[in-house]
Amino acid sequence: MTEEPLPDLICFSHLRWNFVYQRPQHLMTRHSGRVFYFEEPVYSDHAHDWLHLSRPVGTDITIVTPNLSGTGSTSPVEQRLRNLLDRLMTDENIITYMTWYYTPMALKFTSHLRPILLVYDCMDELSNFKFAPPELRALEAELFQKADIVFTGGKHLYSVKKKFHSNIFAFPSSIDQGHFRQSRKNLPQPTHQASIARPRLGYYGVIDERLDIALVDSVARKRPDWQIILVGPVVKIDPASLPQRQNIHYLGQKTYEDLPYYLSGWDIAIMPFALNEATEFISPTKTPEYLCGGKRVISTAIVDVVNDYGADGLVDIVGNADEFIKKSEILLASRGYDQWLERVDKKLATLSWDRTWRSMASLIMSTRDHKFAPERPRLNKSSDQYSSYV
């Protein structure tokens, strides 16, 4: 007897597949059916709108990039995207499918769809981000009404979203342990990092309004003998506004495959996030990645980091540059490292993207079974049931 095949999945995301490799990529690559990853549009000089389709090697994922003509068309963008989506579904014979939303904005051209199940993976409070569309909050309220099941990207985000849906679960950032555990070895150093002196304090991730650049600058100014390495793309802020010092090194965006090599060469991994609206509900994926790589971690007081890792003494929490420097001096002395690493491994023992996906898939299938069995009660979840899945 064969297992029931999973339906096609159409994922609508505000994040491009080939940008920073994070939650959407980790989850979508674990779906055992076909995945169509529908990105935000780009504009081209073609006479007509068209779809660019690409398929990463070794996956059943199709990256769908709408290309809208920059000349000629007077139709609303939403209608043009809807037309392209309909064309995709016809060409790819997408009949029985579920939809998965990362952005409520996609409702503007997908309201006509009839999926067997609608999933909203609320990974961030997008309305708090810089340049967020003014209609985003209203569209998210509509998405909560339409969704069959909702996931959140962290516990703090769950605490404020749980009142909007009766079938909602928190799934904080997880980890590919085999990938990042490599960093505990003395890996060959990437060319751009090999010549940088030590000690090295490193960060990888998007460099945007969520990063406390003033804090980074202050630490670099007060400790010119320390090298601060920032790996990642600069987004939504003017690169010219970034501090320029001999001991601050901007290495640009690197591939997911290369991250363990950079992490391996750092003495301390850092998360110097600003405490603002954009960071209020984040659950940084890099937290368990840094720890899995065997690096001591210093972070500002991000709620989920404080509660999940700071309270256990696994991440050191700081509030300003002087505290940052003091903690770094202690960590660079390497006292108690082995005992700390033992506690890290115990904390991370059951954390993996595979386990996260299996738990999500189980909840999705349970939701589907309840949806098509009206005589049975809908899933009834207490406000703290999410703890079984994190």
Side-chain angles (χ1 to χ4, degrees), residues 237-271:
I237 59 175
D238 183 359
S241 68
L242 298 175
Q244 303 296 320
R245 297 184 183 275
Q246 289 187 345
N247 61 333
I248 301 179
H249 309 270
Y250 301 98
L251 302 189
Q253 184 171 351
K254 307 302 176 185
T255 67
Y256 179 74
E257 289 72 25
D258 286 341
L259 293 183
Y261 292 85
Y262 285 90
L263 181 59
S264 173
W266 300 346
D267 298 290
I268 298 174
I270 61 175
M271 297 193 297

Side-chain angles (χ1 to χ4, degrees), residues 130 218 233:
K130 195 172 186 178
S218 183

